[in-house]
Amino acid sequence: TKNSMLQIFCKNNGRIVNISPGSTLLDVYEASGIELSQGPTSAKVNNVVEGLNFKIYHNMDVEFLDITHPSARRTYARSLCFVLYKAIKEIFPKGKLCVEHSVSNGYFCNLYIGRPIELEDVNALKKRMQEIIAENIPFRRKECLTAEAVPFFNELGLEDKAKLLESTGSLYTYYYMLGDTIDYYYGCLLPSTGFLYLFDLVKYYDG
């Protein structure tokens, strides 16, 4: 019924959108008539940044963010790192990725594959990343007990993530899946790989 609809105030254009409970932020964006030139990356919900898959059950204020916003840019970069990680796991199953630090408008990553990295390796990874993006695979968020997640991440060889989970002291934790690839990220990701439209991967010294 009309009475059970939620009222969402979109700060971007000052419009109120009536939408049913359980709708996502992406549903709100599509109903709002807002057109961000780069498309939405995430949104501030009552001033807290959430991913576009975030479900709404109450009336609230929403401001959609695109890649030009620092927080949304981090969401975009996080999602891109997951695509790189998936490509590495497929091409170099024993490979280890360490995202080290930002360099101009990108990130320097160390990749350990048991030998020096060649240009062909980087090209193969970039090609696989492009394929993963073209496949438009959803980033799925899963919740579980932290006590179950810690040994699970240790088994995956992600000991640093396991230590991070242990240090939070939370009873529950969540992780993300991209196809059958699993990883942990603090913060939201994009709804799917198809939302990634801009990236490059270049060989830089030993990374």
Side-chain angles (χ1 to χ4, degrees), residues 85 144 148-163 165 173-176 182-185:
Y85 177 66
C144 67
E148 291 171 3
V150 169
F152 180 49
F153 275 88
N154 275 322
E155 277 171 37
L156 289 171
L158 300 167
E159 293 87 358
D160 51 339
K161 306 261 169 113
K163 279 188 191 131
L165 292 176
T173 193
Y174 61 86
Y175 59 89
Y176 286 97
I182 296 162
D183 205 355
Y184 171 80
Y185 293 90

PDB file of all heavy atoms in Angstrom, residues 85 144 148-163 165 173-176 182-185:
ATOM      1  N   TYR A  85      43.045  -9.221  -7.362  1.00  0.00           N
ATOM      2  CA  TYR A  85      43.311 -10.381  -6.517  1.00  0.00           C
ATOM      3  C   TYR A  85      42.738 -11.659  -7.159  1.00  0.00           C
ATOM      4  O   TYR A  85      43.401 -12.695  -7.199  1.00  0.00           O
ATOM      5  CB  TYR A  85      42.718 -10.161  -5.126  1.00  0.00           C
ATOM      6  CG  TYR A  85      42.874 -11.332  -4.183  1.00  0.00           C
ATOM      7  CD1 TYR A  85      44.130 -11.734  -3.732  1.00  0.00           C
ATOM      8  CD2 TYR A  85      41.759 -12.051  -3.736  1.00  0.00           C
ATOM      9  CE1 TYR A  85      44.278 -12.815  -2.876  1.00  0.00           C
ATOM     10  CE2 TYR A  85      41.899 -13.129  -2.875  1.00  0.00           C
ATOM     11  CZ  TYR A  85      43.159 -13.506  -2.448  1.00  0.00           C
ATOM     12  OH  TYR A  85      43.296 -14.578  -1.602  1.00  0.00           O
ATOM     13  N   CYS A 144      29.453 -14.009   9.069  1.00  0.00           N
ATOM     14  CA  CYS A 144      29.673 -15.232   9.834  1.00  0.00           C
ATOM     15  C   CYS A 144      30.277 -14.873  11.192  1.00  0.00           C
ATOM     16  O   CYS A 144      30.622 -13.718  11.442  1.00  0.00           O
ATOM     17  CB  CYS A 144      30.581 -16.200   9.082  1.00  0.00           C
ATOM     18  SG  CYS A 144      32.267 -15.605   8.892  1.00  0.00           S
ATOM     19  N   GLU A 148      34.790 -18.337  13.362  1.00  0.00           N
ATOM     20  CA  GLU A 148      34.831 -19.224  12.191  1.00  0.00           C
ATOM     21  C   GLU A 148      35.675 -18.600  11.079  1.00  0.00           C
ATOM     22  O   GLU A 148      36.339 -19.311  10.328  1.00  0.00           O
ATOM     23  CB  GLU A 148      33.414 -19.467  11.664  1.00  0.00           C
ATOM     24  CG  GLU A 148      32.546 -20.302  12.589  1.00  0.00           C
ATOM     25  CD  GLU A 148      31.085 -20.340  12.131  1.00  0.00           C
ATOM     26  OE1 GLU A 148      30.762 -19.773  11.073  1.00  0.00           O
ATOM     27  OE2 GLU A 148      30.274 -20.947  12.853  1.00  0.00           O
ATOM     28  N   ALA A 149      35.616 -17.276  10.987  1.00  0.00           N
ATOM     29  CA  ALA A 149      36.302 -16.573   9.899  1.00  0.00           C
ATOM     30  C   ALA A 149      37.822 -16.611  10.041  1.00  0.00           C
ATOM     31  O   ALA A 149      38.535 -16.731   9.047  1.00  0.00           O
ATOM     32  CB  ALA A 149      35.829 -15.125   9.831  1.00  0.00           C
ATOM     33  N   VAL A 150      38.335 -16.536  11.279  1.00  0.00           N
ATOM     34  CA  VAL A 150      39.790 -16.465  11.501  1.00  0.00           C
ATOM     35  C   VAL A 150      40.517 -17.705  10.959  1.00  0.00           C
ATOM     36  O   VAL A 150      41.420 -17.573  10.125  1.00  0.00           O
ATOM     37  CB  VAL A 150      40.126 -16.195  12.988  1.00  0.00           C
ATOM     38  CG1 VAL A 150      41.607 -16.378  13.260  1.00  0.00           C
ATOM     39  CG2 VAL A 150      39.691 -14.779  13.371  1.00  0.00           C
ATOM     40  N   PRO A 151      40.131 -18.954  11.345  1.00  0.00           N
ATOM     41  CA  PRO A 151      40.811 -20.116  10.763  1.00  0.00           C
ATOM     42  C   PRO A 151      40.589 -20.243   9.258  1.00  0.00           C
ATOM     43  O   PRO A 151      41.471 -20.700   8.519  1.00  0.00           O
ATOM     44  CB  PRO A 151      40.197 -21.310  11.518  1.00  0.00           C
ATOM     45  CG  PRO A 151      38.947 -20.805  12.146  1.00  0.00           C
ATOM     46  CD  PRO A 151      39.156 -19.341  12.377  1.00  0.00           C
ATOM     47  N   PHE A 152      39.421 -19.814   8.813  1.00  0.00           N
ATOM     48  CA  PHE A 152      39.054 -19.848   7.401  1.00  0.00           C
ATOM     49  C   PHE A 152      40.047 -18.994   6.593  1.00  0.00           C
ATOM     50  O   PHE A 152      40.586 -19.432   5.574  1.00  0.00           O
ATOM     51  CB  PHE A 152      37.623 -19.323   7.293  1.00  0.00           C
ATOM     52  CG  PHE A 152      37.047 -19.286   5.909  1.00  0.00           C
ATOM     53  CD1 PHE A 152      37.112 -20.375   5.067  1.00  0.00           C
ATOM     54  CD2 PHE A 152      36.400 -18.138   5.458  1.00  0.00           C
ATOM     55  CE1 PHE A 152      36.559 -20.327   3.787  1.00  0.00           C
ATOM     56  CE2 PHE A 152      35.848 -18.085   4.196  1.00  0.00           C
ATOM     57  CZ  PHE A 152      35.937 -19.180   3.359  1.00  0.00           C
ATOM     58  N   PHE A 153      40.331 -17.766   7.068  1.00  0.00           N
ATOM     59  CA  PHE A 153      41.261 -16.874   6.363  1.00  0.00           C
ATOM     60  C   PHE A 153      42.705 -17.349   6.483  1.00  0.00           C
ATOM     61  O   PHE A 153      43.490 -17.168   5.563  1.00  0.00           O
ATOM     62  CB  PHE A 153      41.091 -15.424   6.837  1.00  0.00           C
ATOM     63  CG  PHE A 153      39.989 -14.710   6.103  1.00  0.00           C
ATOM     64  CD1 PHE A 153      38.680 -14.766   6.545  1.00  0.00           C
ATOM     65  CD2 PHE A 153      40.256 -14.013   4.943  1.00  0.00           C
ATOM     66  CE1 PHE A 153      37.664 -14.138   5.842  1.00  0.00           C
ATOM     67  CE2 PHE A 153      39.243 -13.384   4.237  1.00  0.00           C
ATOM     68  CZ  PHE A 153      37.947 -13.437   4.679  1.00  0.00           C
ATOM     69  N   ASN A 154      43.052 -17.982   7.618  1.00  0.00           N
ATOM     70  CA  ASN A 154      44.394 -18.565   7.757  1.00  0.00           C
ATOM     71  C   ASN A 154      44.613 -19.662   6.718  1.00  0.00           C
ATOM     72  O   ASN A 154      45.672 -19.752   6.107  1.00  0.00           O
ATOM     73  CB  ASN A 154      44.593 -19.122   9.173  1.00  0.00           C
ATOM     74  CG  ASN A 154      45.056 -18.044  10.142  1.00  0.00           C
ATOM     75  OD1 ASN A 154      45.846 -17.172   9.787  1.00  0.00           O
ATOM     76  ND2 ASN A 154      44.564 -18.092  11.366  1.00  0.00           N
ATOM     77  N   GLU A 155      43.566 -20.484   6.509  1.00  0.00           N
ATOM     78  CA  GLU A 155      43.643 -21.575   5.509  1.00  0.00           C
ATOM     79  C   GLU A 155      43.829 -21.029   4.094  1.00  0.00           C
ATOM     80  O   GLU A 155      44.482 -21.647   3.261  1.00  0.00           O
ATOM     81  CB  GLU A 155      42.360 -22.418   5.545  1.00  0.00           C
ATOM     82  CG  GLU A 155      42.343 -23.496   6.619  1.00  0.00           C
ATOM     83  CD  GLU A 155      40.966 -24.145   6.733  1.00  0.00           C
ATOM     84  OE1 GLU A 155      40.313 -24.324   5.698  1.00  0.00           O
ATOM     85  OE2 GLU A 155      40.566 -24.448   7.870  1.00  0.00           O
ATOM     86  N   LEU A 156      43.240 -19.871   3.840  1.00  0.00           N
ATOM     87  CA  LEU A 156      43.349 -19.249   2.515  1.00  0.00           C
ATOM     88  C   LEU A 156      44.702 -18.576   2.307  1.00  0.00           C
ATOM     89  O   LEU A 156      44.979 -18.035   1.235  1.00  0.00           O
ATOM     90  CB  LEU A 156      42.228 -18.207   2.329  1.00  0.00           C
ATOM     91  CG  LEU A 156      40.802 -18.735   2.153  1.00  0.00           C
ATOM     92  CD1 LEU A 156      39.802 -17.595   2.200  1.00  0.00           C
ATOM     93  CD2 LEU A 156      40.651 -19.499   0.835  1.00  0.00           C
ATOM     94  N   GLY A 157      45.540 -18.587   3.364  1.00  0.00           N
ATOM     95  CA  GLY A 157      46.853 -17.941   3.269  1.00  0.00           C
ATOM     96  C   GLY A 157      46.792 -16.441   3.482  1.00  0.00           C
ATOM     97  O   GLY A 157      47.725 -15.704   3.165  1.00  0.00           O
ATOM     98  N   LEU A 158      45.646 -15.958   4.013  1.00  0.00           N
ATOM     99  CA  LEU A 158      45.474 -14.522   4.275  1.00  0.00           C
ATOM    100  C   LEU A 158      45.656 -14.263   5.775  1.00  0.00           C
ATOM    101  O   LEU A 158      44.753 -13.791   6.463  1.00  0.00           O
ATOM    102  CB  LEU A 158      44.086 -14.066   3.801  1.00  0.00           C
ATOM    103  CG  LEU A 158      43.799 -14.266   2.301  1.00  0.00           C
ATOM    104  CD1 LEU A 158      42.334 -14.083   1.984  1.00  0.00           C
ATOM    105  CD2 LEU A 158      44.634 -13.301   1.456  1.00  0.00           C
ATOM    106  N   GLU A 159      46.865 -14.577   6.263  1.00  0.00           N
ATOM    107  CA  GLU A 159      47.132 -14.493   7.705  1.00  0.00           C
ATOM    108  C   GLU A 159      46.984 -13.075   8.238  1.00  0.00           C
ATOM    109  O   GLU A 159      46.501 -12.876   9.355  1.00  0.00           O
ATOM    110  CB  GLU A 159      48.553 -15.007   8.030  1.00  0.00           C
ATOM    111  CG  GLU A 159      48.754 -16.490   7.781  1.00  0.00           C
ATOM    112  CD  GLU A 159      49.161 -16.831   6.347  1.00  0.00           C
ATOM    113  OE1 GLU A 159      49.256 -15.908   5.510  1.00  0.00           O
ATOM    114  OE2 GLU A 159      49.365 -18.030   6.066  1.00  0.00           O
ATOM    115  N   ASP A 160      47.401 -12.078   7.426  1.00  0.00           N
ATOM    116  CA  ASP A 160      47.293 -10.683   7.877  1.00  0.00           C
ATOM    117  C   ASP A 160      45.830 -10.280   8.073  1.00  0.00           C
ATOM    118  O   ASP A 160      45.483  -9.577   9.026  1.00  0.00           O
ATOM    119  CB  ASP A 160      47.991  -9.733   6.891  1.00  0.00           C
ATOM    120  CG  ASP A 160      47.557  -9.937   5.440  1.00  0.00           C
ATOM    121  OD1 ASP A 160      47.050 -11.038   5.128  1.00  0.00           O
ATOM    122  OD2 ASP A 160      47.720  -9.011   4.634  1.00  0.00           O
ATOM    123  N   LYS A 161      44.949 -10.780   7.186  1.00  0.00           N
ATOM    124  CA  LYS A 161      43.508 -10.479   7.320  1.00  0.00           C
ATOM    125  C   LYS A 161      42.937 -11.198   8.547  1.00  0.00           C
ATOM    126  O   LYS A 161      42.096 -10.657   9.258  1.00  0.00           O
ATOM    127  CB  LYS A 161      42.754 -10.907   6.059  1.00  0.00           C
ATOM    128  CG  LYS A 161      43.319 -10.309   4.767  1.00  0.00           C
ATOM    129  CD  LYS A 161      42.545  -9.108   4.278  1.00  0.00           C
ATOM    130  CE  LYS A 161      43.265  -8.383   3.151  1.00  0.00           C
ATOM    131  NZ  LYS A 161      42.620  -8.440   1.880  1.00  0.00           N
ATOM    132  N   ALA A 162      43.401 -12.432   8.794  1.00  0.00           N
ATOM    133  CA  ALA A 162      42.948 -13.199   9.958  1.00  0.00           C
ATOM    134  C   ALA A 162      43.312 -12.464  11.246  1.00  0.00           C
ATOM    135  O   ALA A 162      42.500 -12.348  12.166  1.00  0.00           O
ATOM    136  CB  ALA A 162      43.562 -14.597   9.950  1.00  0.00           C
ATOM    137  N   LYS A 163      44.539 -11.933  11.301  1.00  0.00           N
ATOM    138  CA  LYS A 163      44.987 -11.167  12.487  1.00  0.00           C
ATOM    139  C   LYS A 163      44.135  -9.918  12.669  1.00  0.00           C
ATOM    140  O   LYS A 163      43.783  -9.549  13.791  1.00  0.00           O
ATOM    141  CB  LYS A 163      46.463 -10.763  12.328  1.00  0.00           C
ATOM    142  CG  LYS A 163      47.432 -11.884  12.677  1.00  0.00           C
ATOM    143  CD  LYS A 163      48.871 -11.380  12.689  1.00  0.00           C
ATOM    144  CE  LYS A 163      49.846 -12.540  12.774  1.00  0.00           C
ATOM    145  NZ  LYS A 163      50.922 -12.462  11.791  1.00  0.00           N
ATOM    146  N   LEU A 165      41.017  -9.480  11.718  1.00  0.00           N
ATOM    147  CA  LEU A 165      39.700  -9.895  12.205  1.00  0.00           C
ATOM    148  C   LEU A 165      39.742 -10.196  13.699  1.00  0.00           C
ATOM    149  O   LEU A 165      38.844  -9.805  14.446  1.00  0.00           O
ATOM    150  CB  LEU A 165      39.200 -11.124  11.441  1.00  0.00           C
ATOM    151  CG  LEU A 165      38.843 -10.929   9.969  1.00  0.00           C
ATOM    152  CD1 LEU A 165      38.459 -12.258   9.342  1.00  0.00           C
ATOM    153  CD2 LEU A 165      37.710  -9.941   9.800  1.00  0.00           C
ATOM    154  N   THR A 173      31.591 -11.082  11.859  1.00  0.00           N
ATOM    155  CA  THR A 173      32.360 -10.376  10.844  1.00  0.00           C
ATOM    156  C   THR A 173      31.743 -10.678   9.483  1.00  0.00           C
ATOM    157  O   THR A 173      30.846 -11.503   9.374  1.00  0.00           O
ATOM    158  CB  THR A 173      33.846 -10.790  10.899  1.00  0.00           C
ATOM    159  OG1 THR A 173      34.591  -9.868  10.122  1.00  0.00           O
ATOM    160  CG2 THR A 173      34.062 -12.201  10.336  1.00  0.00           C
ATOM    161  N   TYR A 174      32.210 -10.007   8.476  1.00  0.00           N
ATOM    162  CA  TYR A 174      31.728 -10.286   7.128  1.00  0.00           C
ATOM    163  C   TYR A 174      32.920 -10.359   6.188  1.00  0.00           C
ATOM    164  O   TYR A 174      34.000  -9.856   6.477  1.00  0.00           O
ATOM    165  CB  TYR A 174      30.737  -9.213   6.665  1.00  0.00           C
ATOM    166  CG  TYR A 174      31.319  -7.827   6.606  1.00  0.00           C
ATOM    167  CD1 TYR A 174      31.998  -7.390   5.471  1.00  0.00           C
ATOM    168  CD2 TYR A 174      31.224  -6.948   7.684  1.00  0.00           C
ATOM    169  CE1 TYR A 174      32.569  -6.145   5.417  1.00  0.00           C
ATOM    170  CE2 TYR A 174      31.789  -5.687   7.639  1.00  0.00           C
ATOM    171  CZ  TYR A 174      32.461  -5.292   6.495  1.00  0.00           C
ATOM    172  OH  TYR A 174      33.044  -4.055   6.436  1.00  0.00           O
ATOM    173  N   TYR A 175      32.713 -11.036   5.075  1.00  0.00           N
ATOM    174  CA  TYR A 175      33.731 -11.099   4.028  1.00  0.00           C
ATOM    175  C   TYR A 175      33.002 -11.008   2.696  1.00  0.00           C
ATOM    176  O   TYR A 175      31.773 -11.014   2.648  1.00  0.00           O
ATOM    177  CB  TYR A 175      34.561 -12.383   4.141  1.00  0.00           C
ATOM    178  CG  TYR A 175      33.776 -13.671   4.051  1.00  0.00           C
ATOM    179  CD1 TYR A 175      33.533 -14.278   2.813  1.00  0.00           C
ATOM    180  CD2 TYR A 175      33.261 -14.283   5.195  1.00  0.00           C
ATOM    181  CE1 TYR A 175      32.802 -15.456   2.725  1.00  0.00           C
ATOM    182  CE2 TYR A 175      32.540 -15.460   5.104  1.00  0.00           C
ATOM    183  CZ  TYR A 175      32.319 -16.041   3.869  1.00  0.00           C
ATOM    184  OH  TYR A 175      31.590 -17.199   3.780  1.00  0.00           O
ATOM    185  N   TYR A 176      33.769 -10.899   1.637  1.00  0.00           N
ATOM    186  CA  TYR A 176      33.171 -10.760   0.311  1.00  0.00           C
ATOM    187  C   TYR A 176      33.557 -11.925  -0.588  1.00  0.00           C
ATOM    188  O   TYR A 176      34.643 -12.488  -0.450  1.00  0.00           O
ATOM    189  CB  TYR A 176      33.620  -9.457  -0.348  1.00  0.00           C
ATOM    190  CG  TYR A 176      32.966  -8.220   0.231  1.00  0.00           C
ATOM    191  CD1 TYR A 176      33.609  -7.456   1.202  1.00  0.00           C
ATOM    192  CD2 TYR A 176      31.714  -7.799  -0.204  1.00  0.00           C
ATOM    193  CE1 TYR A 176      33.019  -6.314   1.723  1.00  0.00           C
ATOM    194  CE2 TYR A 176      31.111  -6.665   0.308  1.00  0.00           C
ATOM    195  CZ  TYR A 176      31.774  -5.921   1.270  1.00  0.00           C
ATOM    196  OH  TYR A 176      31.182  -4.809   1.788  1.00  0.00           O
ATOM    197  N   ILE A 182      37.428 -15.460  -2.443  1.00  0.00           N
ATOM    198  CA  ILE A 182      37.018 -14.888  -1.152  1.00  0.00           C
ATOM    199  C   ILE A 182      38.083 -13.923  -0.658  1.00  0.00           C
ATOM    200  O   ILE A 182      39.282 -14.206  -0.751  1.00  0.00           O
ATOM    201  CB  ILE A 182      36.818 -16.025  -0.122  1.00  0.00           C
ATOM    202  CG1 ILE A 182      35.659 -16.922  -0.565  1.00  0.00           C
ATOM    203  CG2 ILE A 182      36.575 -15.481   1.286  1.00  0.00           C
ATOM    204  CD1 ILE A 182      35.638 -18.271   0.104  1.00  0.00           C
ATOM    205  N   ASP A 183      37.667 -12.790  -0.102  1.00  0.00           N
ATOM    206  CA  ASP A 183      38.615 -11.867   0.519  1.00  0.00           C
ATOM    207  C   ASP A 183      37.869 -11.009   1.539  1.00  0.00           C
ATOM    208  O   ASP A 183      36.637 -10.974   1.558  1.00  0.00           O
ATOM    209  CB  ASP A 183      39.299 -10.989  -0.535  1.00  0.00           C
ATOM    210  CG  ASP A 183      40.665 -10.478  -0.079  1.00  0.00           C
ATOM    211  OD1 ASP A 183      41.033 -10.720   1.086  1.00  0.00           O
ATOM    212  OD2 ASP A 183      41.362  -9.843  -0.885  1.00  0.00           O
ATOM    213  N   TYR A 184      38.642 -10.338   2.384  1.00  0.00           N
ATOM    214  CA  TYR A 184      38.070  -9.461   3.408  1.00  0.00           C
ATOM    215  C   TYR A 184      38.443  -8.018   3.085  1.00  0.00           C
ATOM    216  O   TYR A 184      39.596  -7.732   2.758  1.00  0.00           O
ATOM    217  CB  TYR A 184      38.610  -9.833   4.796  1.00  0.00           C
ATOM    218  CG  TYR A 184      38.212  -8.827   5.854  1.00  0.00           C
ATOM    219  CD1 TYR A 184      36.937  -8.861   6.420  1.00  0.00           C
ATOM    220  CD2 TYR A 184      39.093  -7.832   6.259  1.00  0.00           C
ATOM    221  CE1 TYR A 184      36.555  -7.923   7.362  1.00  0.00           C
ATOM    222  CE2 TYR A 184      38.712  -6.894   7.212  1.00  0.00           C
ATOM    223  CZ  TYR A 184      37.445  -6.943   7.757  1.00  0.00           C
ATOM    224  OH  TYR A 184      37.067  -5.998   8.683  1.00  0.00           O
ATOM    225  N   TYR A 185      37.467  -7.125   3.157  1.00  0.00           N
ATOM    226  CA  TYR A 185      37.717  -5.695   2.962  1.00  0.00           C
ATOM    227  C   TYR A 185      36.978  -4.928   4.040  1.00  0.00           C
ATOM    228  O   TYR A 185      35.818  -5.228   4.333  1.00  0.00           O
ATOM    229  CB  TYR A 185      37.242  -5.224   1.573  1.00  0.00           C
ATOM    230  CG  TYR A 185      38.055  -5.824   0.458  1.00  0.00           C
ATOM    231  CD1 TYR A 185      37.678  -7.022  -0.126  1.00  0.00           C
ATOM    232  CD2 TYR A 185      39.223  -5.215   0.019  1.00  0.00           C
ATOM    233  CE1 TYR A 185      38.442  -7.604  -1.127  1.00  0.00           C
ATOM    234  CE2 TYR A 185      39.999  -5.790  -0.982  1.00  0.00           C
ATOM    235  CZ  TYR A 185      39.598  -6.979  -1.546  1.00  0.00           C
ATOM    236  OH  TYR A 185      40.360  -7.552  -2.527  1.00  0.00           O
TER     237      TYR A 185
END
